Amino acid sequence: MISLNNIQKSFGNYDVLAIEKLVLPLGLYWLRGKNGSGKSTLLNILAGLIPFKGDVVLNENIHIRKHPVAYRKLINHAAAEPVYPAFLPGTDLVEFVTSIKGGSADHVDTVKKGLDIGNYLANPTGSYSSGMLKKLSLLLAFIGNPAWVLLDEPFSTLDQASQKALCILIREKHEQGISFILTSHHDIEPDEINFTQTFILKDQKLTETNPV
Amino acid sequence: MKKIVQVINRSVVQPFYRQHAGLFLFLFFLMFGIQPTAQEAFRTHYYLMHLILTSGNFFLLAIIIWLIYTIKILLFLRNCLQKEAYDFIYQLNALPAQSRFLILLRSAILLMAPVTCYGLATIYVAIREQLVLAEIFVLLAIVLLHLFLILNTMQLLNGGKAIQEVKKTSPLFPLPKAFFGFVLRGIFRNQWVTVLIIKLLSFFSLYLFTNIDSPLFENRVLWLIFLTSLIGHSFLIFRNFNFIETELHFFRNMPQAQVTTFFSLFFIYTILLLPEMWALRGVSMVQDQSWEYLWLVLTGPTFLLLLHVLLYSESMKIEEYLKLLFGIWIVFFFLSFSSWHWLLPLICTLFSAAIFFTSYYQYEKKVGLAG
């Protein structure tokens, strides 16, 4: 379970988010909204990437500020437009994240197969196409033993086969007990991912809509 | 053509000087700041120019330093052309070779201004002392360096966007796949010329001063040179910080204790200061001041750590950062004069820890709105 309490975020004088209270039980959530509505900002907050006012609590007792290490152990994130040092090979990043987040090489191989990631990981990330970079960021987001995985526009820049493979992977991981929050402008059909709940982010507020 | 020159000046020349302001500040202090009076500084440089004109070795040394500076410019240009934001510069290829050459010549003159100024002053000394042959050599060296820069830039432009491809390279020495390993690789890969220039200058200035005869040795001057060489690392630190906060931004989602990150940064700057620590051995071995050596060695990495963590206190531009560092340099300069200067490492560590542990998770780079 993840609880958001009095979340406020602004950039300069521009208020982006004002969420009083939101409790999300384990599940699959789809966060929708127009460009600039604050979807990525909300995921960045939940991932512990940017500062904000308020509090985020995992499983009722792990606070983002009081327990930064324990919190980050349970939350993984894949950015909409991932950026990595151009000179680093993907394999180095995978090894690095595995050493911190935990997990086994077998688990990494399974996700690699699931996402159809070829042998290019040994090359520097600067040589990757945007789709290859996206797949690397998704692979990194599945490493370890997270309770929640936050995927920001996971389908953009992926080809159709990879999009389908990602849906299957999300379903499989969810069955294993991992919860997901996704932002996406793509229309996702219920047979692809059966979301627990869909939210619309508008005027700094989250509005629940019916399950898809 | 005037418009094209203006655009190149704004997009290349001005950013070059802005980005290297820390390095220029460091060089300025090293060349003119350590002499007690302006007259003394003038005499020192007159003597240096005389040496360049009369000694083959000194002439060679000057050429090497100027060449390193020219290569630094070339690498900056290469770095710009690797970015898609600079794709418009490839439009120069549509111009006739002569026009392209003239446009690049104007930019080269501006970029090479520090070398040209020092070279012209040397030529003036040569004329005064009637060293005609040496004068021709210096003039030839300046012209050749300009040509070297222009022709290489033209070659970079001719290569087109192929420069934007990233090639696989093996590191010279294996670094661990850890935060500090990635940051050190970033420094040595992205900033090696800056590292080379800073290390050459600070190593030799510290080595030469610590090995002079004891009656001439003065602790306060040593601290002044040392603090100035540390401040000279500011541009490197600023770029390093930005590298961490953009290309390693995902690290903020890693379950790593803050204290580990803090000590990783300390370790990075300790590694970076190994040449200076070696150069300072004379304080202990020649000047027989082992305690002083210990304070210097401890102050170095903690001071650089402080310069780094200051950037977490607020999102700053390089100009704002340099202003802040100038103030810090003055404060530390006066502190180093006092008999309490052994407290400097402790002060740096305490301030670094206080800033880091309160600001690290509160830091956010000022950028456009996120979606």
Side-chain angles (χ1 to χ4, degrees), chain A residues 9 11 14 38-41 47 49 51 69 72 75 83-85 87-88 92-93 95-96 100-101 122 126, chain B residues 166 168 177 179 182 185-186 189 243 247-255 257 361-364 369-371:
Chain A
K9 180 68 191 171
F11 294 108
Y14 181 73
K39 302 184 298 295
S40 298
T41 305
L49 293 170
V69 178
R72 283 165 175 79
I75 288 253
V83 182
Y84 302 111
F87 57 85
L88 275 186
D92 283 13
L93 289 163
E95 265 186 61
F96 171 64
I100 298 184
K101 292 251 182 187
Chain B
V166 177
K168 192 177 179 179
K177 284 149 195 167
F179 175 71
F182 291 165
R185 274 155 86 172
R189 174 134 187 156
F243 169 73
E247 291 174 48
L248 290 177
H249 187 60
F250 71 95
F251 182 72
R252 286 179 169 268
N253 177 243
M254 294 294 121
Y361 282 128
Q362 292 307 312
Y363 173 79
E364 186 177 18
L369 302 181

Side-chain angles (χ1 to χ4, degrees), chain B residues 291-312:
Chain B
W291 282 110
E292 202 66 23
Y293 178 60
L294 181 68
W295 303 139
L296 286 159
V297 165
L298 289 174
T299 301
T302 52
F303 188 75
L304 292 196
L305 181 66
L306 177 66
L307 299 192
H308 182 103
V309 301
L310 275 170
L311 288 161
Y312 288 113

Side-chain angles (χ1 to χ4, degrees), chain B residues 319-351:
Chain B
E319 297 89 344
E320 296 162 335
Y321 181 55
L322 289 176
K323 275 181 204 166
L324 178 69
L325 293 200
F326 186 67
I328 288 173
W329 180 78
I330 290 179
V331 171
F332 274 77
F333 173 54
F334 283 108
L335 275 175
S336 71
F337 272 20
S338 80
S339 55
W340 292 89
H341 67 272
W342 56 273
L343 276 172
L344 285 176
L346 191 67
I347 292 170
C348 291
T349 310
L350 287 177
F351 272 97

Side-chain angles (χ1 to χ4, degrees), chain B residues 58-296:
Chain B
F58 263 86
F59 178 74
L60 199 65
L61 186 70
I63 297 295
I64 290 170
I65 293 170
W66 293 347
L67 186 64
I68 290 173
Y69 178 78
T70 315
I71 292 171
K72 173 88 193 138
I73 298 171
L74 259 175
L75 287 169
F76 176 81
L77 293 171
R78 190 187 158 83
N79 194 28
C80 288
L81 291 171
Q82 278 178 329
K83 295 175 187 163
E84 287 185 359
Y86 280 82
D87 280 359
F88 67 91
I89 293 184
Y90 291 109
Q91 302 295 329
L92 286 177
N93 285 335
L95 294 171
Q98 199 184 351
S99 311
R100 217 180 326 153
F101 182 87
L102 287 174
I103 289 167
L104 293 176
L105 175 66
R106 287 197 195 183
S107 304
I109 289 169
L110 291 173
L111 289 164
M112 293 285 287
V115 166
T116 312
C117 287
Y118 208 84
L120 289 177
T122 310
I123 290 170
Y124 171 74
V125 173
I127 293 168
R128 269 190 68 157
E129 298 192 6
Q130 294 179 336
L131 298 162
V132 183
L133 198 63
E135 174 198 333
I136 292 168
F137 276 133
V138 173
L139 189 65
L140 199 65
I142 295 171
V143 173
L144 286 176
L145 285 170
H146 276 76
L147 277 175
F148 173 76
L149 178 62
I150 297 165
L151 295 176
N152 272 289
T153 312
M154 284 177 91
Q155 204 176 2
L156 283 176
L157 287 170
N158 285 338
K161 281 167 73 73
I163 199 178
Q164 291 172 355
E165 288 172 11
V166 177
K167 292 180 182 75
K168 192 177 179 179
T169 53
S170 310
L172 284 175
F173 43 90
L175 281 165
K177 284 149 195 167
F179 175 71
F180 73 87
F182 291 165
V183 176
L184 281 173
R185 274 155 86 172
I187 291 172
F188 291 123
R189 174 134 187 156
N190 301 337
Q191 304 197 65
W192 67 271
V193 178
T194 309
V195 172
L196 186 72
I197 293 172
I198 291 172
K199 293 296 139 187
L200 276 176
L201 289 168
S202 61
F203 181 88
F204 284 110
S205 52
L206 290 168
Y207 183 81
L208 293 174
F209 189 76
T210 52
N211 283 284
I212 58 170
D213 292 339
S214 293
L216 292 170
F217 182 79
E218 167 69 67
N219 263 341
R220 288 184 299 182
V221 179
L222 173 66
W223 275 95
L224 174 65
I225 299 172
F226 186 53
L227 286 173
T228 309
S229 72
L230 291 177
I231 287 283
H233 287 72
S234 54
F235 174 62
L236 189 146
I237 293 168
F238 188 81
R239 277 192 70 183
N240 188 34
F241 177 86
N242 278 314
F243 169 73
I244 293 171
E245 289 304 324
T246 49
E247 291 174 48
L248 290 177
H249 187 60
F250 71 95
F251 182 72
R252 286 179 169 268
N253 177 243
M254 294 294 121
Q256 184 94 286
Q258 252 183 292
V259 70
T260 312
T261 312
F262 184 73
F263 280 110
S264 297
L265 291 171
F266 175 76
F267 183 68
I268 289 161
Y269 291 117
T270 306
I271 295 281
L272 214 58
L273 283 178
L274 286 177
E276 281 81 358
M277 290 177 189
W278 178 267
L280 283 166
R281 284 178 321 137
V283 180
S284 169
M285 294 164 80
V286 180
Q287 313 302 338
D288 204 21
Q289 296 186 29
S290 298
W291 282 110
E292 202 66 23
Y293 178 60
L294 181 68
W295 303 139
L296 286 159

